[in-house]
Amino acid sequence: MGGTPSPGRPGNLTPEQEVKLKEFWKATLQVFGVPVLGGIDVGGSVNGSINGDNEDDPSEHASTLNPEKKGKRKGLFRRKKGDSGDKDDASVHSSIPDADDKYGQTKEFQQALATQPPEDLRKAFWGMVKHDHPDGLLLRFLRARKWDVEKALVMMVSTMQWRSHDMHVDDDIMYNGEAGAYKMATESTGATKKEGEDYMKIMRGGQSFLHGCDKDGRPICVVRARLHRAGEQSEASLERVTVHIIETARLLLSPPVDTATIVFDMTGFSMANMDYAPVKFMIKCFEANYPESLGVVLVHKSPWVFQGIWTIIKGWLDPVVASKVHFTKNIDELSQFISLPHIPTELGGEDPWTFSYPEPQPDENDKMKDNDTRQRLLEERTKVVKEFEDVTQKWIQSPPQADAVLGQKRNSLAEQLRKGYWQLDPYLRARTWYDRTGMIKPGGTIEYYPKINGAEGAHDPDGVD
C-alpha cells in the first residue's frame, strides 16, 4: 500500500524528532547491554541498577536471538550535578510524576531492569518488533509520551515486561493460539479446561472478530456487545482473546496504515451485557501496552441506557483516546467511516459476509514442529538484527550530512527483517481462523475480502495490490 507516512512516522520526521529517535535508540541499546559511546542526559533521574553496577553480569545468560555476550548497562542516564551518586544500586528512581504513571509502569520498568538480564530484554524487544520497522515501534512510544525519551523508555520496557512475564504474548498466547485453547478445552481439567472452553466459546460465537477495512485502510475489529454476559467467561479467557485479536490485528498493518478501527455493535445491548473488567483491560492494553494503535472507535446504535455507562468509561480514558470515540446512530453516520460495500449487512451495509468460525485443523501447525528450520531462520534473523544494531550505532553518532546514507542502509535492513519475519511466522505463531479463511496469506499478503471481492480486497505488503 502506497501513500505518504503520517507525521512522526519513519520517513516523515522533523530534524528535532530524528534527534529524539536517536536518543531513544541510544537508551534502548544501553538497556540491551549494547556498548554505546556516552550517556544520555534526560534529567539525571533514573539511577541505581539502571546504570548496571551489578556484580552478577547478566551478559552470561545466553539467548536464542543472539548467542554473543552483551555488556552491562552503563551510563544510561547521566546524573546531573547535585544528584547523589552513592544511592543503593538496588533502587531505581524516576522523576515521572505519579499523575503521569497511570498504570504503574515505572515500577514495572524498575522490576524489569532489576530482574532481567539485558540480553533477555533485547530478545523481548526484537520478538515484539515482528514485521514492523524497528523505528516505527520506537516512534509509537515516543509519540505516546510526547517525545519525552525517558518516559518513552519506561513505557516500552514495562511493555516488554508485561508481554514476556505477565501475559506471555509470544511464548503462549500467539504460540499456542486457537489450537492450544482447543486442546485446553478438550484435554485439560479444572481452571485450565474452563479457560479453554471459554476461549473457544468466544471464538465460535463471534463476540469479537476482525473483518474488512475502513475508508482509511485500517483493519476493523467488530465487537458484538449483545453476545457477552457478565460472569459467563473467566477474566483470563477474555484477556487472552483480547490480546490475541490485538496481536493479530498488528499483523494486518502495513505503512502508511499503522492503526486499527474498533466497531462496538451495541444493537440489542442491555445492562446484562455490561462487564467493566474486560473494558478496563482493553483500555489498559491500548493506553499502556499498544500505544498509538487506535485509529477510531465507533460505538454504533448505543441505547439510552449506555449513556450513564459511557460517563463512567470516559472518566477512565486518556483524553487523546477519548477523542477517538465516535457515536454512530445509523448506517449513514457509520458509512462516514466505512464504505457501504464494506459494512456487513448485519450492520445495515452491503457486504453479504456473515461470521462463521472454522475449527482448528489437526495439521495446521505442523511447521511449528520443525525445530531445525525454525532455528535456521532465527539465526538468519539474528545476523540481520546485529547488522541493524551496528548501523544504528553509527547513525546515532553520525553528523546530519551522513544520515541519508546510513538511513537508507537501516531501511534496507528493516525490510530484510520484515520479509524474514514472514518466513519465520509459521514456525512461531499458531494459525488463526484468519489464516484458515485466507485473510492472512503466506508471506504476509493481506486479503480483507477473500471470498467476496477476490483480488480487489487484497493487499500485498511488498506494494503490489
Side-chain angles (χ1 to χ4, degrees), residues 24-36:
F24 195 9
W25 264 115
K26 194 169 187 177
T28 298
L29 291 174
Q30 287 178 282
V31 165
F32 299 163
V34 177
V36 182

Side-chain angles (χ1 to χ4, degrees), residues 397-413:
Q397 304 295 335
S398 70
Q401 58 267 29
D403 280 358
V405 174
L406 291 172
Q408 186 176 9
K409 177 63 174 176
R410 294 177 75 248
N411 287 336
S412 175
L413 291 168

Side-chain angles (χ1 to χ4, degrees), residues 141-168:
F141 291 96
L142 276 174
R143 295 196 307 272
R145 289 297 176 257
K146 298 178 174 59
W147 303 92
D148 185 307
V149 173
E150 180 182 349
K151 290 180 181 180
L153 182 68
V154 168
M155 186 184 198
M156 187 177 75
V157 172
S158 67
T159 291
M160 289 154 54
Q161 173 85 355
W162 175 83
R163 290 176 65 91
S164 60
H165 285 252
D166 297 343
M167 293 305 299
H168 294 275

Side-chain angles (χ1 to χ4, degrees), residues 5 210 424 426:
L210 300 168
L424 187 57

Side-chain angles (χ1 to χ4, degrees), residues 282-294:
M282 186 182 298
I283 292 171
K284 194 260 185 185
C285 282
F286 284 111
E287 290 190 351
N289 305 123
Y290 295 94
E292 298 288 306
S293 296
L294 270 181

Side-chain angles (χ1 to χ4, degrees), residues 200-209 224 227 355 357:
M200 294 307 299
K201 181 177 180 180
I202 295 169
M203 297 301 296
R204 289 166 176 151
Q207 288 185 25
S208 57
F209 52 83
R224 300 194 285 188
L227 299 182
F355 177 85
Y357 180 72

